[in-house]
Amino acid sequence: MLKEAFANEGDAITIHAVKCQLFAMTVALPMAAMAEDQKSPDTNQTTTAEATMPEPTIIADRFPIPVATPILSFSPVIFEVPERPATLEIRVVAPATGSNLPIILLSHGHGGSNFLSSMRGYNPLVEFYAARGFVVLIPTHLNSKTLALDPNGPEGPLFWRSRPKDIQFILDHLGDIEATVPGLKGRLDKDRVAVVGHSLGAHTVAMLAGMTVTDGNTGEVVSFKEPRIKAAVMLSPPGDSADSAEWLKEHYPALAAANDFSGVTLPSLVITGDEDFNDYFSARKDWRADAYRLSPGPKSLLFLYGAGHMFGGISGYDAKETSDESPERVATIQRLTWAYLRSTLNPEDKAWQTVAEEFGKEANPAGRIENR
């Protein structure tokens, strides 16, 4: 159930929503005034400033991707979860208008930053998706440094079992979340749900998509396959445990535990790159493409040239942990992942086909797409 103390703060919630609306108005009004000022006395002509305005060099929302619309962010939504050592906190980011909105649940990674690996992170993806028609829910998993939990428990520092449980708990309580967030009630399409995860978050997504893991401590084959999820995006998922490096086995045994991708039947897009490699994890350079290679179809692989583990900066704007900063690469991932999710959740929609074909015809391709 929702944490009682939070539920009693109705006045504060209303004020928060009003502040968001006022902020949107204060931004929109000056912009409208600027546009009015730039009109020439002759309404049939444009000013010199208009005529010479340069086009942006990075355009992620060109056709068929829609132009961004205003969004609202609400956090935290707080749940008391039985046997969970900390409350479950969730950030909800949604379009300011619209109905029948599909849902993305985003699972953060286990990076070195304090706040990016929490509900506060991954804004380059979260805000892009929400501004183009998705409601995005981001939980803070137990491995987040913001919680400062003991890393030496039975799950180790990754809390790998609790992470898919967080996602399933959210799916069980979508109605409560919808009723709590101002302006969201009645706008969710609970039949169109996707999951997106990066690094450890991609391991979580793979488990929800059907990957099994054998617990090294108990020998139990662990499965969290979730039928309510209809599409998945895995950014740099850990690969076949058989090729795990000794360092990984010692420090993160859950990622080196025997895993099986044969049950990953969910339509999924796997993303990696030629610099997405760390020999502490595996000596095999294509290790993080295994979720594509070892799973049954339908699957797609986006392989990006020059991309490292942070894919140009997906975990946060101007983040220090980004080793391969590239706004162009982030825009590519925004565009392609949005199109993939859009078309997978709406089979009649051709956004993925259109964007993938365009990507393959670029004069200087940023990568390649494979399908099976």
Side-chain angles (χ1 to χ4, degrees), residues 4-6 11 20 28 54 59 64 157 165-166 204 237 314 321 324 337:
E4 190 171 351
F6 178 78
D11 292 340
C20 289
I59 309 175
K165 289 180 182 178
D166 289 344
T204 301
I314 60 169
E321 70 178 29
D324 61 331
T337 56

Side-chain angles (χ1 to χ4, degrees), residues 45-60:
Q45 297 193 20
T46 59
T47 65
T48 303
E50 270 186 311
T52 59
M53 182 70 70
E55 285 293 320
T57 56
I58 302 170
I59 309 175

Side-chain angles (χ1 to χ4, degrees), residues 146-342:
T146 61
L147 300 178
L149 297 177
D150 183 1
N152 299 311
E155 288 191 79
L158 303 182
F159 292 90
W160 64 279
R161 278 180 181 252
S162 74
R163 294 171 59 94
K165 289 180 182 178
D166 289 344
I167 301 298
Q168 291 179 326
F169 184 92
I170 292 171
L171 290 172
D172 292 340
H173 293 83
L174 285 175
D176 294 326
I177 294 169
E178 190 178 32
T180 300
V181 177
L184 192 62
K185 189 173 180 60
R187 299 174 60 206
L188 297 182
D189 185 344
K190 301 181 183 70
D191 293 324
R192 292 191 293 159
V193 179
V195 284
V196 175
H198 172 234
S199 195
L200 181 57
H203 183 269
T204 301
V205 168
M207 294 192 72
L208 292 163
M211 180 185 74
T212 60
V213 177
T214 301
D215 190 317
N217 295 322
T218 66
E220 176 190 2
V221 177
V222 181
S223 173
F224 285 102
K225 191 168 186 175
E226 179 49 71
R228 289 172 289 185
I229 296 171
K230 303 301 192 296
V233 172
M234 307 177 208
L235 292 129
S236 191
D240 187 356
S241 58
D243 292 327
S244 298
E246 291 302 317
W247 186 94
L248 186 66
K249 294 175 183 177
E250 179 183 351
H251 292 83
Y252 296 123
L255 298 185
N259 58 354
D260 184 354
F261 290 100
S262 64
V264 183
T265 55
L266 187 71
S268 303
L269 172 63
V270 178
I271 304 175
T272 186
D274 50 11
E275 300 297 326
D276 184 18
F277 164 72
N278 186 333
D279 56 10
Y280 284 108
F281 282 65
S282 176
R284 187 158 52 79
K285 290 195 172 183
D286 63 349
W287 186 66
R288 292 189 179 271
D290 286 352
Y292 170 77
R293 186 173 59 86
L294 301 177
S295 298
K299 295 290 180 296
S300 295
L301 173 70
L302 171 59
F303 188 90
L304 294 169
Y305 305 143
H309 191 60
M310 305 311 296
F311 297 101
I314 60 169
S315 64
Y317 298 115
D318 297 324
K320 183 179 179 180
E321 70 178 29
T322 300
S323 57
D324 61 331
E325 187 170 18
S326 170
E328 294 85 358
R329 187 171 297 127
V330 172
T332 294
I333 289 177
Q334 290 170 331
R335 182 172 171 79
L336 286 165
T337 56
W338 184 93
Y340 180 84
L341 294 172
R342 172 76 180 178

Side-chain angles (χ1 to χ4, degrees), residues 53-70:
M53 182 70 70
E55 285 293 320
T57 56
I58 302 170
I59 309 175
D61 55 3
R62 63 189 184 278
F63 181 82
I65 313 300
V67 174
T69 60

